[in-house]
């Protein structure tokens, strides 16, 4: 197998540039090192790659209006560093890379990141979770670069509620982003919604109606203890069961056969007999850790084997100190080897991880 080293993307185009010269990035087929199997037999194929911890919104279940202390710029991975680690992940059997954050669209060279990921041989599927603000401008370029799927988070269809929930007046931008993604050919478009009691819970059926009308796939996510403010309150959480009950006031929901779920976090239901579906991600009340195939890489180069992990494996420092691909792959494997069987939210003594969702990558 032949590999060559090329330089991808100069640092000045990155929002979080360290100012250092970019390291070389290998091209050519990746050697097979995988798979990433943990002690419980779970094979990891899905990498959530956080490209920034910054965000254009301030969703109350995620971070306070004033924001959070952002990661220092010199700790953030440059694009070549990110692509090198992604390539190693692919060599370990990762076949889907989901870009997330923070808000991934805030990374100015996001199109270069996507193009770099698409150039990995074999190319992983490249998807993105976004709040949609700014997506209208770049959806076409992202698709051209290799993005294949998108999840847009939208919690309300009402301008005032959007402002109350996200502290920003950007509903129009999110809606324009969803529309542009569809026009750019991304399908199916998935929508993510977190319901908050007394704020947008009354909109559950309207949001599903909106999704059905446009042929988008809506998924409701239970609020998790991952907010920077540490104010999550189980008694206030809208559970999966309550979400279902609200939807069933208008729609008939039929569970899809269990064997179609695989490692997907969402339990899917046919709406009014199908073919349209709605998903419920009940991470707290009905954990799906037993089939988890996800691993996360933060924007500052730390591997997290679970959203709720309290420990991380630092890949950035060894990478900057000259570690080989094999050495970095071994660190990736060690992280997965230490993965716990479940997130433990429902166990006594559960501790919320120090990093908020926005700095982990949802
Ligand atoms: N900024 C992008 C967005 O909002 O889509 C990507 C990052 S965001 C952290 C990814 C997903 O996590 C979003 O769908 C968001 O609604 C969800 N999320 C954030 N905080 C959450 C929490 N405490 N509980 C449940 N979901 C949460
Ligand atoms: Fe930003 Fe996404 Fe967190 Fe909302 S959920 S504040 S859009 S990172």
């Amino acid at each position: 197998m032949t590999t060559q080293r090329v330089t991808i993307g100069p640092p000045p185009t990155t929002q979080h540039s360290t100012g250092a010269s970019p390291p070389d990035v290998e091209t050519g087929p990746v050697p097979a090192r995988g798979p990433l199997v943990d002690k419980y037999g779970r094979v990891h194929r899905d990498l959530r790659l956080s490209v920034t911890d910054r965000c254009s919104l301030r969703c109350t279940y995620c971070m306070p209006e004033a924001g959070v202390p952002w990661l220092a710029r010199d700790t953030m991975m440059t694009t070549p560093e990110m692509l090198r680690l992604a390539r190693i992940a692919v060599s370990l059997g990762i076949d889907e890379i989901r870009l997330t954050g923070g808000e991934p669209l805030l990374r100015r060279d996001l199109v270069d990141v996507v193009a770099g990921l698409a150039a990995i041989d074999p190319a992983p599927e490249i998807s993105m979770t976004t709040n949609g603000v700014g997506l209208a401008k770049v959806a076409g370029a992202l698709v051209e670069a290799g993005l294949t799927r998108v999840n847009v988070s939208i919690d309300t269809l009402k301008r005032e509620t959007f402002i109350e929930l996200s502290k920003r007046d950007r509903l129009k931008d999110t809606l324009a982003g969803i529309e542009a993604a569809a026009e750019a050919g991304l399908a199916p478009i998935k929508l993510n919604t977190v319901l908050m009691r007394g704020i947008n819970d009354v909109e559950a059926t309207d949001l599903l109606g909106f999704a059905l009308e446009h042929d988008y796939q809506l998924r409701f996510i239970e609020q998790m203890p991952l907010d920077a403010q540490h104010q999550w309150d189980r008694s206030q959480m809208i559970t999966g069961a309550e979400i279902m009950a609200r939807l069933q006031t208008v729609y008939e929901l039929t569970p899809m056969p269990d064997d179609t779920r695989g490692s997907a976090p969402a339990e899917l239901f046919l709406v009014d007999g199908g073919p349209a579906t709605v998903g419920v991600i009940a991470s707290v009340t009905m954990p799906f850790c037993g089939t988890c195939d996800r691993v996360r890489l933060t924007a500052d180069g730390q591997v997290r084997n679970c959203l709720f992990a309290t420990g991380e494996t630092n890949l950035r420092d060894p990478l900057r100190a000259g570690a080989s691909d094999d050495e970095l792959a071994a660190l990736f494997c060690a992280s997965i080897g230490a993965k716990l069987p479940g997130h433990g939210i429902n166990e006594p003594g559960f501790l919320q991880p120090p990093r908020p969702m926005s700095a982990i990558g949802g």
Side-chain angles (χ1 to χ4, degrees), residues 55 61-62 100-104 129-131 153 192 194 221-224 226-227 357-358 362:
C55 193
Y61 50 76
C62 186
T100 181
E103 176 43 50
T129 302
T130 171
N131 63 31
S153 304
N192 291 354
V194 177
I221 309 173
E222 279 182 350
Q223 189 191 352
M224 294 178 278
L226 287 170
D227 56 313
M357 180 72 129
S358 58

Side-chain angles (χ1 to χ4, degrees), residues 69-223:
W70 310 118
L71 294 170
R73 284 176 194 275
D74 62 352
T75 68
M76 313 279 296
M77 284 192 291
T78 64
T79 296
E81 287 172 340
M82 214 177 257
L83 294 177
R84 179 164 171 215
L85 293 182
R87 195 179 140 82
I88 292 168
V90 169
S91 81
L92 290 165
I94 292 294
D95 59 15
E96 171 169 2
I97 298 184
R98 173 168 294 277
L99 302 168
T100 181
E103 176 43 50
L105 292 169
L106 289 187
R107 188 158 180 129
R108 282 189 215 145
D109 66 344
L110 189 66
V111 173
D112 297 344
V113 173
V114 172
L117 294 174
I120 296 175
D121 179 12
E125 178 154 5
I126 305 163
S127 55
M128 175 171 71
T129 302
T130 171
N131 63 31
V133 175
L135 183 57
K137 277 192 212 131
V138 288
L142 288 170
V143 170
E144 215 166 287
L147 186 76
T148 52
R149 288 193 289 119
V150 75
N151 285 35
V152 185
S153 304
I154 179 162
D155 298 327
T156 175
L157 298 168
K158 297 181 188 159
R159 181 178 170 203
E160 289 311 318
T161 309
F162 193 98
I163 296 170
E164 183 182 1
L165 254 175
S166 72
K167 312 299 176 205
R168 301 287 188 268
D169 187 4
R170 307 300 294 269
L171 174 61
K172 269 192 190 161
D173 298 291
T174 294
L175 291 171
I178 296 170
E179 222 176 291
E183 274 165 22
L186 291 169
I189 302 242
K190 293 189 183 172
L191 304 181
N192 291 354
T193 296
V194 177
L195 291 181
M196 301 285 285
R197 196 170 299 287
I199 304 178
N200 63 339
D201 50 345
V202 291
E203 281 191 74
T205 53
D206 289 348
L207 282 156
L208 180 53
F210 169 77
L212 295 174
E213 184 188 333
H214 296 277
D215 207 13
Y216 305 143
Q217 289 183 7
L218 177 62
R219 297 123 43 90
F220 291 94
I221 309 173
E222 279 182 350
Q223 189 191 352

Side-chain angles (χ1 to χ4, degrees), residues 238-249:
I238 314 263
T239 62
E242 188 175 345
I243 294 164
M244 297 275 299
R246 284 179 178 273
L247 297 178
Q248 282 167 325
T249 60

